[in-house]
């Protein structure tokens, strides 16, 4: 699960992040493999002017793949931290471009709500309290959002 609870006697802290199935080393290995497999057919045209006509297209394709993977990593740099102490519920969302969004309310009034239909994603989870409703974990998969909702409901009830 791409979320983790850290608990102490008086405080619970939930860290949520998007799942990333391709680690950075795996991405580098993939790009290197694509380059190696693309260079293999060019061995047949070594020493001819045709090599210089085909090589830029291979380099462009490899560079495009690398830039696409890097853009994906930048967009997935999201971290949400929910802190529950005896009196307050505090949610901080760190967005990919560095912007920070915060929500704070009295823990007694905080409650988790699941919108099975009608939200931007199925089983959309929100926190309500302090006169506002904020999303939490929208980047998680459907099963992970259901599990998150159960955890949030249990933690807020304590």
């Amino acid at each position: 699960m791409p979320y983790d609870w850290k608990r102490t006697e008086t405080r619970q802290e939930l860290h949520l992040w998007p799942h990333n199935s391709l680690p950075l080393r795996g991405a580098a290995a993939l790009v290197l493999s694509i380059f190696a497999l693309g260079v293999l057919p060019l061995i047949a045209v070594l020493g001819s002017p045709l090599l210089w006509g085909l090589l830029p297209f291979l380099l462009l394709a490899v560079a495009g793949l690398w830039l696409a993977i890097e853009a994906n990593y930048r967009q997935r740099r999201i971290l949400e931290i929910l802190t529950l102490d005896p009196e307050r519920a505090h949610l901080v969302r760190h967005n990919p471009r560095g912007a920070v969004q915060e929500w704070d309310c009295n823990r007694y009034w905080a409650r988790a709500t699941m919108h099975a239909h009608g939200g931007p994603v199925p089983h959309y989870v929100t926190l309500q309290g302090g006169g506002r409703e904020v999303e939490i974990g929208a980047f998680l998969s459907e099963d992970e959002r259901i599990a998150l909702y159960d955890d949030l409901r249990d933690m807020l009830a304590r």
Side-chain angles (χ1 to χ4, degrees), residues 106-124:
N106 186 320
R107 182 169 174 176
Y108 179 78
W109 297 109
R111 68 183 174 111
T113 307
M114 179 184 290
H115 306 277
H117 306 289
V121 292
H123 299 285
Y124 187 62

Side-chain angles (χ1 to χ4, degrees), residues 16-18 73-80 93-96 139:
L16 296 118
W17 59 90
Y73 280 130
R74 277 193 305 276
Q75 289 298 318
R76 299 187 70 74
R77 257 187 251 152
I78 300 171
L79 177 63
E80 294 181 353
R93 177 184 168 106
H94 300 275
N95 290 311
F139 47 78

Side-chain angles (χ1 to χ4, degrees), residues 5-13 83-87 107 155 158:
W5 283 99
K6 295 178 178 22
R7 296 179 177 102
T8 63
E9 289 182 22
T10 59
R11 185 175 167 174
Q12 296 91 23
E13 196 170 275
T83 306
L84 300 172
D85 61 31
E87 297 177 11
R107 182 169 174 176
M155 284 296 179
R158 290 184 188 176

Side-chain angles (χ1 to χ4, degrees), residues 19-87:
H19 179 73
N20 197 356
S21 60
L22 184 63
L24 200 53
R25 293 183 83 192
L30 173 71
V31 170
L32 184 62
S33 300
I34 296 295
F35 177 73
L37 290 173
V39 165
L40 211 61
L42 294 181
I43 293 174
V45 292
L46 271 178
S48 76
L50 187 58
L51 173 70
W52 299 109
L54 295 176
L55 190 60
F57 292 104
L58 171 64
L59 295 176
L60 189 64
V62 171
L65 176 65
W66 179 256
L67 290 174
I69 290 172
E70 280 295 314
N72 183 299
Y73 280 130
R74 277 193 305 276
Q75 289 298 318
R76 299 187 70 74
R77 257 187 251 152
I78 300 171
L79 177 63
E80 294 181 353
I81 302 170
L82 174 65
T83 306
L84 300 172
D85 61 31
E87 297 177 11

